[in-house]
Amino acid sequence: EKRGKRQVLIRPSSKVIIKFLEIMPKNGYIGEFEEIDDHRAGKIVVNLNGRLNKTGVISPRFDISSHDSEKWVAKLLPSRQFGFIVLTTSHGIMTHADARRKHTGGKILGFFF
């Protein structure tokens, strides 16, 4: 986005990447995205809208409990007002705010702000 691009190509595609990307338009960080099946690993074309500053993946996937999420928010995000940490939980892939509402923990996948 900083380079002024309107679209970006992500390859290879995976179910986890698609679920991660499905969270981002719900919060207004990207436009829609399109999956391209090339009979190999697949590609994803993402339309950007200028709100995304940084996105990253946390490796290894640390365990996080429902009351532990505040520590990780302070560690990964620049401010408590914006940005999301994406978790994989037993209820599916969701943001840290949704996980706190459902009182569930999980493993950290990544973040975006």
Side-chain angles (χ1 to χ4, degrees):
E1 270 213 359
K2 287 182 181 167
R3 297 190 189 111
K5 294 187 174 161
R6 305 303 304 155
Q7 286 187 329
V8 64
L9 182 71
I10 300 172
R11 59 186 249 309
S13 168
S14 74
K15 287 182 195 174
V16 175
I17 292 172
I18 291 166
K19 291 286 187 190
F20 194 104
L21 286 172
E22 283 173 359
I23 293 172
M24 294 169 92
K26 289 178 190 166
N27 298 300
Y29 279 86
I30 62 172
E32 65 272 355
F33 63 93
E34 181 186 355
E35 235 182 306
I36 300 167
D37 183 27
D38 58 359
H39 301 296
R40 290 179 190 83
K43 295 177 184 144
I44 304 169
V45 176
V46 181
N47 294 320
L48 303 174
N49 62 4
R51 279 201 60 209
L52 193 65
N53 294 319
K54 185 171 184 174
T55 182
V57 175
I58 304 300
S59 182
R61 293 180 176 169
F62 291 107
D63 287 336
I64 180 171
S65 62
S66 59
H67 56 271
D68 222 17
S69 67
E70 203 57 46
K71 180 182 81 173
W72 284 96
V73 168
K75 203 184 278 191
L76 294 173
L77 301 178
S79 161
R80 294 177 72 213
Q81 282 81 28
F82 70 100
F84 294 93
I85 295 175
V86 180
L87 307 174
T88 175
T89 68
S90 55
H91 300 287
I93 294 177
M94 61 182 74
T95 64
H96 70 279
D98 294 337
R100 187 180 294 147
R101 264 183 242 116
K102 291 185 178 180
H103 302 289
T104 184
K107 291 183 179 289
I108 295 184
L109 284 179
F111 62 93
F112 59 90
F113 55 85

